[in-house]
Amino acid sequence: MAIFTAETHQEMMDFLKKQTPHANIHVDDEEALKHSANGKAEDSIQGKIFAYVEVGDIEDIRGTLKTARKYHLPVVPQTADTSTVIGADGINGSIILSLKRLNRIKELSVDDALAVVEPGVINQDLDRAARKKGMFYAPDPASKPISSIGGNVSTNAGGMSCLKYGATKDNVLGLKVMLADGRELKLGGRTLKQAFGYDLTQLFIGSEGTLGIVTEITVRLRPLPQGQSVTGIAFFENMTALAKGVNKLRLSGLNFSMLEALDGKTVVALDQYEKTHYSKSADSSMLIFGFDDASEEEPKVSEKILKESGAWGIDITTDHEKAKKLIKMRQDMLVAVFAQSKYYIMEDMAVPLSKLAEMVDYIGQVAKKQNVDIYTAGHAGDGNLHPTLLWNNQPDAPEEVIEAIRLLFRKTLSLGGTISGEHAVGMSKNQWTVEELGSDVDQIQHEIKNIFDPLGILNPKRKIN
Amino acid sequence: MAIFTAETHQEMMDFLKKQTPHANIHVDDEEALKHSANGKAEDSIQGKIFAYVEVGDIEDIRGTLKTARKYHLPVVPQTADTSTVIGADGINGSIILSLKRLNRIKELSVDDALAVVEPGVINQDLDRAARKKGMFYAPDPASKPISSIGGNVSTNAGGMSCLKYGATKDNVLGLKVMLADGRELKLGGRTLKQAFGYDLTQLFIGSEGTLGIVTEITVRLRPLPQGQSVTGIAFFENMTALAKGVNKLRLSGLNFSMLEALDGKTVVALDQYEKTHYSKSADSSMLIFGFDDASEEEPKVSEKILKESGAWGIDITTDHEKAKKLIKMRQDMLVAVFAQSKYYIMEDMAVPLSKLAEMVDYIGQVAKKQNVDIYTAGHAGDGNLHPTLLWNNQPDAPEEVIEAIRLLFRKTLSLGGTISGEHAVGMSKNQWTVEELGSDVDQIQHEIKNIFDPLGILNPKRKIN
């Protein structure tokens, strides 16, 4: 990016303000600083942003993009700023285009089983609004209370219920997006089936703000299931045994809505945080499972399979309050683990289902070999794991942590997995593009980016190299 | 395309043969003629193909594309040749690249809950192979016994079970494709969750052979449900009443795996074909519904809702043979309707769920207004309708039929629907691109096409204009 004189800087700011009449523009203030580096100002290695622009409407988005085009400024789209992969932090000289004020649920149609929302709507707010009308919004990332639908779309966010209802990509029917040149596109629509054009809706889902600004999202809602909600826990000797048990459950034909794994260390951390007493030893792993629409038979068959798989402490409940506590425990997992150290990285990889046991076993090996503290939890039923690596004393990850992550990524790829299951790529992983996707796909990704954003102003250096 | 002299023609043929050592090449014979126009040689308005090439392996595909690039020949990818939208018919001077010999199930992994197949594998063959191992392949287009997985991927084929398990797009994990320039890409993979690159897998699904040749498909398999299979029928005064009833069932939270509508005329045709006696009057419409994993309650609740919706003749069965007959009847629908006249067009549109009643009502109005014989059936639970328009005396559709289709498409779009729910676009509908998608998306589609196939040799004049 060019270096601008004070005069040019003032001219740019005047132009931006004129083009965005309904925006709140923050420059050099606390708000600008806070949002420039994912809420951690001290980590602001990316340098200083030009402005943090909270747009008030579509015209403000258009005006922000016009300014960015005119002065070749990078634009970083942001909603709730919860990226775990440095996907929405400010870049030196950039405009952070915050969509968080665009948080209206524009329509919630029971009859069409869909909602039309602005990108800043918080996932949980949408789900609650739907439940009031007998429907629900299925995708439930752990960040559900704080993350936005716009962000969920940008990362193709997952969650616990992916097992039954798929990820964000499986729950979006249509999008409105604004391209870097200000053109608005309507992609997809309001129907469950669509086979007309190339599936540009899916191309935008998970594109991390690099192809356009998502201005409206039509999501699928589902009627609340009428059957029994059942939640249970079980303990295994270790994560490898748990992974094997999960594979048996998964292949049983039972219709689980949740199959979540917590390793022994995570359970200990949770016990500390929640003042509970689940941990048997630092090695014994915990499975939290559930049905949102169970038959009479399903809990019984689950119990039988769990016992055959060597599980103990099996506790299955239909009690709503007890179940809520268990699910809250799973949701609190991150906070409990992060409380163990000031410095951590949570990773996110997915492996083919049969490789889950091998992968969790390997994580244990790497922790020992690299002498790194690793807490592992994950959506076991999807083969999706979140090892969290902790360290002390310094903000930047030490070499043994970096090497541990490298080893985990290599192993994931060698097992036919992906190093991003549901957290996307951001700046944390895009240097792995050729290794995961190959150089031909890498090249094609750049050609696609070039169609939508020929000036390269949208979230540069993220997603693709 | 250029006009070639006899010498050039011979040179081209020699080159093609040399480049495709394992292919069966048909020129000017019955096989070439048959496959040049979707099995209806007398309809061969597209002119004469250069060759019909049944490739034997990947190298033959590469050689065919090399020949096409060298002499600028259009390449029409084809597998089972069951397109309903003129998607795989020969074009004047083209090479039909038949993938039907590539019909191996390369892997069927219960542990990873997936299969890896070549494009020529017939849908039903894959499903049967999976069932032998306790799994199944969910997408079930009516063409299931004759259509290929490659074709299903190219069109994003749907079916009855979409309601519960989604369309082809929701059941594909990864693809291998060969681009026009011979490069092979590996897209997606073997994991249920993926959030790394742009979703090029989804871009290829439904791209109708215009972006590359699909050489391998990794599909998701699911464990067979363990619950009760339940099938039922019910009758309604007309399709409008049925549509309203279906909406109530759909919003009940019951987990249907099938909600299929047949209008009165279709039921009469089926009675003739099957020697059954379901038709009450030419107006009374029939619903076939099912659960593949029913609770105790679900059939009872369905019956209650159906009665409240004014349905009669409700017959719900768990008897396997009886259920098989009902489903066979739904599957025979096309044959029974097509038996009513030599000339017909089956259409395919999807509307938002709440608009189903209005759409079926409008179909009836158009039939009257245009004096056209229309039989309507469809996947009512998905808002996906298949009106079949019949006429006599001439192969080409008469003006009143063309106008009826135009009216139905316009109405579909005005209701927020799509004029292709699951049959794709082909040459039948691509002139509607701007009307359905808008001119900006139209332009972007061409730019995307240009990345993958800059010479424009892959299935030209299909999908996009």
Side-chain angles (χ1 to χ4, degrees), chain A residues 344-416:
Chain A
Y344 51 81
I345 292 177
M346 177 177 47
E347 270 313 332
D348 164 43
M349 59 269 293
V351 293
L353 297 165
S354 70
K355 307 295 185 192
L356 189 66
E358 186 173 344
M359 190 67 207
V360 293
D361 192 48
Y362 186 76
I363 294 172
Q365 289 172 38
V366 168
K368 267 188 202 144
K369 189 181 164 213
Q370 295 297 121
N371 193 24
V372 172
D373 216 10
I374 308 184
Y375 291 67
T376 302
H379 312 301
D382 286 323
N384 186 196
L385 290 168
H386 296 309
T388 300
L389 298 86
L390 283 72
W391 67 94
N392 294 310
N393 304 329
Q394 59 181 80
D396 292 344
E399 183 49 40
E400 64 270 20
V401 169
I402 293 170
E403 177 61 15
I405 292 174
R406 210 178 284 136
L407 289 170
L408 295 182
F409 284 3
R410 290 256 153 78
K411 181 69 174 182
T412 301
L413 295 175
S414 79
L415 292 175

Side-chain angles (χ1 to χ4, degrees), chain B residues 153-454:
Chain B
V153 166
S154 290
T155 55
N156 186 22
M160 297 192 280
S161 78
C162 277
L163 183 66
K164 183 166 178 182
Y165 298 109
T168 301
K169 72 192 276 292
D170 302 302
N171 291 277
V172 171
L173 301 175
L175 296 174
K176 282 191 186 162
V177 299
M178 187 178 284
L179 303 189
D181 64 10
R183 276 185 296 171
E184 284 186 275
L185 304 183
K186 186 185 157 295
L187 307 175
R190 297 169 68 92
T191 58
L192 284 173
K193 280 179 174 168
Q194 298 171 18
F196 198 90
Y198 293 142
D199 199 336
L200 303 185
T201 312
Q202 293 291 334
L203 191 65
F204 267 81
I205 296 173
S207 67
E208 304 183 48
T210 61
L211 301 181
I213 310 296
V214 173
T215 59
E216 187 183 286
I217 304 135
T218 302
V219 297
R220 181 175 179 177
L221 302 178
R222 297 163 196 267
L224 287 167
Q226 295 302 298
Q228 181 76 61
S229 176
V230 175
T231 310
I233 55 172
F235 294 86
F236 289 86
E237 197 182 347
N238 52 40
M239 280 291 265
T240 312
L242 181 146
K244 288 177 184 167
V246 163
N247 275 348
K248 282 189 192 146
L249 292 173
R250 201 174 43 72
L251 291 170
S252 64
L254 305 183
N255 203 7
F256 290 96
S257 56
M258 176 168 67
L259 280 171
E260 295 291 315
L262 308 171
D263 75 351
K265 289 166 68 84
T266 304
V267 179
V268 171
L270 272 168
D271 272 349
Q272 287 170 13
Y273 184 82
E274 308 268 343
K275 317 261 182 276
T276 47
H277 306 279
Y278 288 112
S279 58
K280 312 286 164 172
S281 77
D283 261 350
S284 70
S285 298
M286 181 174 180
L287 175 72
I288 309 182
F289 60 98
F291 302 92
D292 65 356
D293 194 12
S295 69
E296 286 279 312
E297 286 304 307
E298 284 180 315
K300 292 176 208 161
V301 180
S302 317
E303 187 170 5
K304 186 164 166 285
I305 296 170
L306 283 165
K307 280 183 179 161
E308 285 166 6
S309 307
W312 69 84
I314 302 164
D315 187 7
I316 301 179
T317 183
T318 57
D319 181 275
H320 185 64
E321 286 307 311
K322 204 170 158 187
K324 238 168 87 172
K325 272 184 200 157
L326 289 173
I327 291 167
K328 183 175 176 303
M329 190 162 100
R330 170 62 184 84
Q331 284 168 336
D332 288 343
M333 182 272 290
L334 291 184
V335 193
V337 170
F338 295 170
Q340 304 295 308
S341 175
K342 202 173 160 190
Y343 307 112
Y344 50 81
I345 292 176
M346 177 178 47
E347 269 314 331
D348 164 43
M349 59 269 292
V351 292
L353 296 165
S354 70
K355 307 295 185 191
L356 189 66
E358 186 173 343
M359 189 68 207
V360 293
D361 192 48
Y362 186 75
I363 294 172
Q365 289 172 37
V366 167
K368 267 187 202 146
K369 188 182 163 210
Q370 295 298 121
N371 195 25
V372 172
D373 216 11
I374 308 185
Y375 292 68
T376 302
H379 312 300
D382 286 323
N384 186 196
L385 291 168
H386 297 308
T388 301
L389 298 86
L390 283 74
W391 66 92
N392 295 309
N393 303 329
Q394 58 182 78
D396 292 342
E399 185 47 43
E400 64 270 20
V401 169
I402 293 170
E403 178 61 14
I405 291 173
R406 209 178 284 136
L407 290 169
L408 295 182
F409 285 2
R410 290 254 154 79
K411 181 70 174 181
T412 300
L413 294 175
S414 79
L415 293 174
T418 172
I419 64 167
S420 183
E422 54 176 16
H423 293 175
V425 176
M427 273 181 71
S428 302
K429 298 183 180 176
N430 57 2
Q431 70 275 23
W432 285 80
T433 301
V434 172
E435 210 155 330
E436 167 137 357
L437 302 176
S439 53
D440 285 332
V441 173
D442 183 33
Q443 186 196 324
I444 285 167
Q445 293 202 135
H446 281 90
E447 293 176 84
I448 287 175
K449 161 84 173 171
N450 192 50
I451 289 176
F452 293 95
D453 176 26

